[in-house]
């Protein structure tokens, strides 16, 4: 698989519209290449040999020679045959959007889990492209000195990749089992931050929970999920989870590989959908995220829209958004504008799920005292002769388990 080297490659970008190429340009620059020319095509009919018509291929070849490009990047995923045919025709390295995203993920993966996930996705992407060269490499199987037992280099490479994919999948199963164990012992509700890449999730995480996640104004600045505990005014703790950002046309290999990370979204009690209000493609980006989380979350899960970067938009635009999305929150995580509203919203939701109780716990059930302090707001606590008296605001699920020890209020 091709690796883009830092600032050495000069790229011609090819896509259907200028809007699509704007995001592709950000991806290419994040991967370390320089975009020097954008070219669009209008025929939506996909050519099985070149993806685009042969006339457009010749046009790209001439343009690339004129501007001195050494890389062609297509905004859509190319089949192995299309990629090979384009390279043969244009005589310059040709890659697609998926390869660029995979390269970015490989650069930004730091944790053991994310490194495994990215490597698995890269190998799954590479395998059919290796197979796609079978016709030309099959010549190795013929001629003097090639008969008898043994394998071609292609077959050896394929076997090696398939074995590595299997090993990585087994490692991810182990990680998933560990996550499920941790999740089963977790007492506090989970609020997952989701959003399009570069929406500001890590910045908001740092602002709310004092986390130290890396932030930068670029796509996929962070890949590793972060979890932090946040104490709400109601006395209940909530776990904030910062997940990997979504993007349109995300390689399906990455969607599958990052399933373990996205399980935090799947098991969330509350979703905070962070939206970059300053992005000209805001509505499209919202649809991408909505489509993804619709397949992951429980239908009863509370989803809160949080429009970020309001310091970068006109006042009239902000007013319009407030009319269109009356239930949403409007903040600037970077500037700290109105971020308290996120805590207030979480506090209100959690409060709705809590009930005030008075308990007479027998000393044989004293183990509940620590659990109550960890998951509730305790108003009164008194160790009496025959029991422990506690007055507290408890989650309804906890209160139900202690129902037989309740005093009538």
């Amino acid at each position: 698989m091709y690796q883009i080297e830092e600032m050495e490659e000069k790229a011609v970008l090819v896509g259907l519209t200028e809007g699509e190429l704007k995001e592709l340009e950000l991806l290419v620059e994040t991967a370390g290449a320089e975009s020097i020319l954008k070219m669009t095509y209008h025929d939506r009919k996909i050519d099985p040999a070149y993806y685009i018509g042969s006339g457009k291929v010749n046009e790209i070849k001439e343009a690339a020679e004129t501007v001195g490009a050494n890389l062609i990047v297509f905004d859509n995923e190319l089949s192995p045959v299309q990629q090979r045919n384009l390279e043969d025709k244009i005589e310059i390295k040709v890659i697609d959007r998926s390869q660029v995203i995979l390269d970015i993920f490989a650069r930004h993966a730091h944790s053991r889990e994310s490194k495994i996930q990215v490597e698995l996705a890269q190998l799954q992407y590479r395998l059919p492209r290796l197979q796609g060269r079978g016709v030309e490499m099959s010549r190795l199987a013929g001629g003097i000195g090639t008969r008898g037992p043994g394998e071609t280099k292609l077959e050896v490479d394929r076997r090696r990749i398939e074995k590595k994919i299997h090993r990585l999948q087994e490692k991810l199963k182990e990680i998933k089992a560990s996550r499920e164990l941790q999740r089963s012992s977790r007492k506090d509700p989970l609020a997952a931050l989701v959003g399009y890449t570069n929406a500001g999730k890590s910045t908001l995480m740092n602002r709310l929970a004092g986390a130290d996640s890396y932030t930068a104004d670029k796509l996929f600045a962070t890949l590793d999920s972060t979890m932090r505990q946040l104490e709400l005014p109601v006395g209940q703790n909530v776990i904030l989870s910062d997940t990997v950002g979504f993007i349109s046309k995300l390689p399906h290999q990455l969607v599958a590989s990052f399933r373990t990370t996205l399980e935090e979204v799947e098991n969330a009690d509350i979703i905070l959908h962070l939206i970059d209000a300053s992005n000209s493609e805001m509505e499209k980006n919202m649809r991408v995220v909505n489509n993804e989380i619709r397949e992951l979350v429980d239908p009863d899960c509370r989803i809160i829209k949080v429009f970020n970067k309001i310091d970068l938009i006109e006042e009239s635009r902000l007013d319009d958004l407030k009319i269109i999305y009356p239930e949403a929150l409007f903040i600037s995580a970077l500037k700290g504008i109105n971020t308290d509203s996120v805590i207030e919203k979480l506090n209100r939701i959690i409060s709705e799920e809590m009930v005030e109780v008075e308990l007479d716990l027998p000393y044989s059930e004293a183990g509940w005292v620590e659990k109550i302090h960890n998951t509730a707001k305790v108003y009164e606590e008194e160790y009496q002769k025959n029991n422990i008296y506690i007055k507290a605001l408890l989650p309804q699920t906890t209160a139900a388990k202690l129902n037989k020890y309740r005093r009538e209020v």
Side-chain angles (χ1 to χ4, degrees):
M1 177 178 173
Y2 295 117
Q3 295 292 322
I4 297 178
E5 299 178 0
E6 293 287 345
M7 299 308 296
E8 291 183 354
E9 293 186 293
K10 300 182 182 297
V12 173
L13 311 186
V14 183
L16 193 60
T17 67
E18 284 290 340
E20 290 179 349
L21 290 180
K22 184 177 179 181
E23 183 171 87
L24 182 62
E25 182 177 21
L26 288 174
L27 287 168
V28 167
E29 290 175 355
T30 302
E34 180 185 359
S35 169
I36 59 174
L37 180 65
K38 299 176 188 175
M39 299 185 69
T40 59
Y41 57 90
H42 304 291
D43 187 1
R44 293 177 180 268
K45 184 179 179 181
I46 296 175
D47 185 291
Y50 296 104
Y51 191 84
I52 54 176
S54 57
K56 193 67 180 182
V57 175
N58 292 329
E59 186 182 333
I60 292 170
K61 177 180 171 67
E62 292 174 7
E65 291 173 351
T66 301
V67 299
N70 57 6
L71 175 67
I72 310 295
V73 185
F74 276 72
D75 189 54
N76 292 86
E77 185 170 326
L78 302 171
S79 71
V81 172
Q82 290 165 343
Q83 185 175 1
R84 187 171 69 252
N85 289 345
L86 285 165
E87 286 189 338
D88 290 344
K89 188 84 170 177
I90 302 176
E91 298 179 319
I92 290 176
K93 183 167 70 173
V94 176
I95 64 175
D96 59 22
R97 179 189 180 95
S98 294
Q99 283 176 277
V100 178
I101 293 175
L102 286 168
D103 186 88
I104 294 170
F105 271 59
R107 288 165 176 261
H108 294 176
H110 299 294
S111 71
R112 174 174 174 266
E113 180 183 4
S114 61
K115 286 179 179 178
I116 290 173
Q117 290 167 329
V118 171
E119 185 178 3
L120 176 59
Q122 286 179 315
L123 291 175
Q124 289 172 329
Y125 181 90
R126 178 185 170 190
L127 186 59
R129 280 151 182 79
L130 186 68
Q131 293 170 336
R133 295 184 180 272
V135 174
E136 64 186 62
M137 295 190 73
S138 65
R139 298 169 191 160
L140 296 172
I144 298 173
T146 61
R147 298 181 182 90
E151 296 177 311
T152 66
K153 183 179 183 301
L154 173 66
E155 289 166 341
V156 172
D157 287 345
R158 185 185 300 128
R159 282 177 182 266
R160 188 180 296 121
I161 290 174
E162 288 174 342
K163 287 180 180 179
K164 189 67 180 290
I165 286 173
H166 178 72
R167 287 198 299 270
L168 293 174
Q169 288 173 333
E170 290 301 309
K171 287 180 181 179
L172 285 180
K173 285 180 182 178
E174 293 174 7
I175 292 173
K176 179 179 180 180
S178 176
R179 276 180 178 272
E180 289 176 349
L181 186 62
Q182 293 172 3
R183 193 178 295 123
S184 65
S185 62
R186 190 165 60 209
K187 306 182 186 79
D188 300 322
L190 176 67
L193 286 163
V194 306
Y196 207 79
T197 180
N198 204 31
K201 298 185 302 301
S202 296
T203 303
L204 181 59
M205 182 83 157
N206 292 346
R207 176 71 63 176
L208 295 180
D212 55 359
S213 300
Y214 173 74
T215 61
D217 186 19
K218 58 184 180 182
L219 305 183
F220 299 115
T222 55
L223 297 180
D224 302 311
S225 60
T226 305
M227 302 185 79
R228 292 291 185 274
Q229 190 176 65
L230 176 66
E231 184 177 355
L232 299 174
V234 74
Q236 168 77 55
N237 292 326
V238 64
I239 303 297
L240 282 182
S241 173
D242 178 17
T243 59
V244 64
F246 293 101
I247 193 168
S248 62
K249 305 175 190 173
L250 185 69
H252 66 273
Q253 298 90 350
L254 275 175
V255 173
S257 296
F258 274 82
R259 190 72 192 190
T260 51
T261 302
L262 295 177
E263 280 175 2
E264 295 301 340
V265 178
E266 190 173 357
N267 290 278
D269 301 287
I270 302 168
I271 298 288
L272 295 172
H273 177 184
L274 206 63
I275 302 154
D276 181 356
S278 69
N279 193 311
S280 60
E281 300 288 320
M282 184 194 77
E283 295 288 348
K284 186 185 100 174
N285 295 349
M286 286 174 64
R287 286 195 298 272
V288 170
V289 177
N290 287 337
N291 289 338
E292 292 291 346
I293 63 177
R294 188 180 297 119
E295 297 179 6
L296 292 171
V297 303
D298 188 284
D300 297 326
C301 181
R302 296 286 293 271
I303 301 177
I304 305 165
K305 287 184 171 61
V306 183
F307 288 87
N308 189 28
K309 306 185 185 182
I310 61 170
D311 55 308
L312 301 179
I313 63 174
E314 299 282 343
E315 192 71 33
S316 58
R317 171 64 174 158
L318 179 58
D319 291 338
D320 289 342
L321 288 174
K322 288 181 177 179
I323 293 171
I324 299 170
Y325 302 99
E327 299 298 318
L329 304 178
F330 300 88
I331 69 166
S332 170
L334 184 63
K335 302 289 186 181
I337 300 171
N338 208 30
T339 50
D340 286 347
S341 66
V342 180
I343 295 177
E344 291 168 5
K345 185 73 170 181
L346 290 173
N347 192 63
R348 189 158 59 249
I349 292 173
I350 297 299
S351 296
E352 292 171 359
E353 301 297 321
M354 300 184 79
V355 59
E356 185 176 303
V357 298
E358 291 185 58
L359 302 170
D360 285 315
L361 284 174
Y363 281 96
S364 61
E365 297 291 340
W368 274 103
V369 175
E370 183 181 358
K371 295 177 183 177
I372 291 170
H373 275 278
N374 288 337
T375 61
K377 185 169 186 176
V378 178
Y379 298 121
E380 295 180 43
E381 181 178 353
E382 183 180 344
Y383 285 76
Q384 301 174 342
K385 183 178 180 180
N386 298 317
N387 55 56
I388 306 166
Y389 168 74
I390 294 179
K391 182 179 180 180
L393 190 65
L394 286 173
Q396 292 185 20
T397 52
T398 305
K401 295 175 183 177
L402 297 169
N403 197 50
K404 61 182 175 181
Y405 305 120
R406 288 177 67 171
R407 281 187 185 181
E408 291 302 323
V409 181

